[in-house]
């Protein structure tokens, strides 16, 4: 989903990203973007910071608790405080205008690849064990397992790194880093 009011930017991105990704949807305002994000599933969101009806950071904050789709901010605002604000609002990346469409394509690809790795990282290796990454819960045979935050982090690490041998101290440190 590309959310930007600048038709020249939309057209340049459409031409490049359609060839690379095959499909690109558009929104022209924050309200329209929020509505589309609540009704459709997208691989990535390209979100301008300066929209006519609301800030892109407000759009991001409004939907970040309900979707985990990567969000890349596109903005003419390149100051450090603007980039930090975008990332703190829930953005995954921030690209300053003007930018090259090939760099944008590479960043989109990297975000999608990372998301797929994260999604696949906790694929259910045991059919009776279910992980809910959003709620940070584990269910075994339909029964919720009560875990502390640290226990969940260590279990997640063990589920992802199934072919590794760990010393307990290393697991705790790595779980802190991985979580």
């Amino acid at each position: 989903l590309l959310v930007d009011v600048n038709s020249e930017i939309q057209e340049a991105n459409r031409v490049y990203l359609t060839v690379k990704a095959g499909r690109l949807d558009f929104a022209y305002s924050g309200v329209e973007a929020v509505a589309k994000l609540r009704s459709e599933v997208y691989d990535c969101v390209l979100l301008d910071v300066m929209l006519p009806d609301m800030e892109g950071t407000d759009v991001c904050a409004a939907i970040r608790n309900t979707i985990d789709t990567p969000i890349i901010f596109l903005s003419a605002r390149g100051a450090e405080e603007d980039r930090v604000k975008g990332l703190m609002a829930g953005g995954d990346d921030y690209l300053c205008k003007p930018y090259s469409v090939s760099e944008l394509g590479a960043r989109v690809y990297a975000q999608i690849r990372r998301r797929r790795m994260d999604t696949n990282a906790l694929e259910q290796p045991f059919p009776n064990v279910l992980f809910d990454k959003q709620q940070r819960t584990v269910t075994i045979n339909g029964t919720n397992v009560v875990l502390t935050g640290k226990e969940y982090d260590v279990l997640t690490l063990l589920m992802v790194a199934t072919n590794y041998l760990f010393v307990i101290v290393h697991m705790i440190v790595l779980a802190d880093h991985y979580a």
Side-chain angles (χ1 to χ4, degrees):
L1 176 65
L2 174 59
V3 186
D4 198 313
V5 295
N6 185 320
S7 59
E8 291 176 12
I9 289 174
Q10 284 210 357
E11 182 59 19
N13 289 333
R14 184 194 63 76
V15 169
Y16 185 82
L17 294 173
T18 301
V19 168
K20 295 292 183 183
R23 176 180 166 249
L24 186 62
D25 199 1
F26 298 97
Y28 301 92
S29 70
V31 171
E32 183 183 5
V34 169
K36 285 187 175 200
L37 289 165
R38 288 188 174 151
S39 65
E40 297 285 330
V41 176
Y42 295 97
D43 290 328
C44 189
V45 177
L46 305 173
L47 181 58
D48 191 2
V49 172
M50 296 181 286
L51 298 171
D53 57 346
M54 61 195 301
E55 291 283 312
T57 52
D58 294 332
V59 172
C60 183
I63 54 98
R64 183 42 88 199
N65 289 335
T66 57
I67 68 164
D68 66 349
T69 303
I71 296 172
I72 301 174
F73 281 107
L74 306 175
S75 180
R77 296 180 185 166
E80 178 182 4
E81 66 188 54
D82 295 316
R83 295 189 313 266
V84 169
K85 182 180 178 184
L87 296 171
M88 294 303 290
D92 298 289
D93 200 352
Y94 195 106
L95 190 57
C96 297
K97 297 175 183 178
Y99 53 83
S100 104
V101 289
S102 60
E103 180 182 3
L104 174 62
R107 288 177 186 243
V108 167
Y109 175 76
Q111 289 296 329
I112 293 171
R113 180 185 65 230
R114 185 173 299 118
R115 180 169 184 237
R116 287 189 180 141
M117 286 173 48
D118 287 347
T119 302
N120 292 334
L122 283 182
E123 278 191 17
Q124 313 303 328
F126 307 105
N128 60 334
V129 180
L130 299 175
F131 284 86
D132 184 336
K133 287 177 64 176
Q134 294 292 328
Q135 300 295 320
R136 293 179 53 89
T137 60
V138 177
T139 305
I140 299 176
N141 292 328
T143 304
N144 191 31
V145 179
V146 179
L147 297 173
T148 66
K150 182 62 69 193
E151 289 169 336
Y152 181 87
D153 293 341
V154 170
L155 185 57
T156 300
L157 174 68
L158 291 173
M159 297 302 287
V160 171
T162 56
N163 295 325
Y164 293 92
L165 178 64
F166 294 99
V167 177
I168 189 69
V169 173
H170 292 142
M171 279 194 307
I172 292 170
V173 170
L174 286 170
D176 278 341
H177 176 72
Y178 183 78

